[in-house]
Amino acid sequence: MNRLKTVTALAATLVLLNCGIANAGDQEKPGVEVKLRSERDTAKIVVADDRVQISIRSAKGIGDATIRRIGPSWPECVVLRLHLKALEDFRVSGGDITLHASLSSYPSTPRIRRWKNDEEEILLGKESEYWMPIKRFDAKGDPAAEIPLKDGWIEIRLPAAFLAEQPLEITLRWIDFYRG
């Protein structure tokens, strides 16, 4: 296995362990299906037990996707990996709820902001049931401090409260500060 595949496999395992998955791997019947608007974008789904990781590579840095659940309920843990350099705007909508996030483009002090619906002036704190943990990783799968990310990704774990109403579909929209 070449180094890139090893790093990718290790990073996927670490993310899934964070959701409580010990033996991550592809299954024939994932709990979700992903439809991307752009034919140039790609998505990979990794499923284990009641957890799913969706890795999205965006060719232009601007895109959207629809994620549809298969079965009566969403997996317990849904982790998104956006292979971007920074995050000017991120939106995830399901039912009556839209969650937003932004990861600043300032290399020395990247800030992450989160808010619900269109209330950008009311930021979500860690105590909110809609808090989305957002992490940055470099190409090696190590936590990244600097922006723009170089061949890394932004990881977002969807909050359980967001998925609690069991919408059939959720939509994602993203804009990379450094889109190309």
Side-chain angles (χ1 to χ4, degrees), residues 4 16 28 30 41 46 51 57 91 146 149 158 173:
L4 181 58
L16 293 171
E28 287 183 31
D41 293 348
V46 178
R51 281 92 168 132
R57 293 188 182 273
R91 297 173 190 215
E146 290 192 14
L149 296 172
L158 298 182
R173 292 198 170 106

Side-chain angles (χ1 to χ4, degrees), residues 77-109:
C77 179
V78 177
V79 175
L80 307 173
R81 274 193 177 174
L82 302 174
H83 292 263
L84 305 171
K85 295 176 184 171
L87 197 56
E88 181 176 336
D89 186 53
F90 171 76
R91 297 173 190 215
V92 58
S93 299
D96 295 332
I97 299 170
T98 300
L99 300 177
H100 303 259
S102 176
L103 172 59
S104 72
S105 62
Y106 304 105
S108 60
T109 56

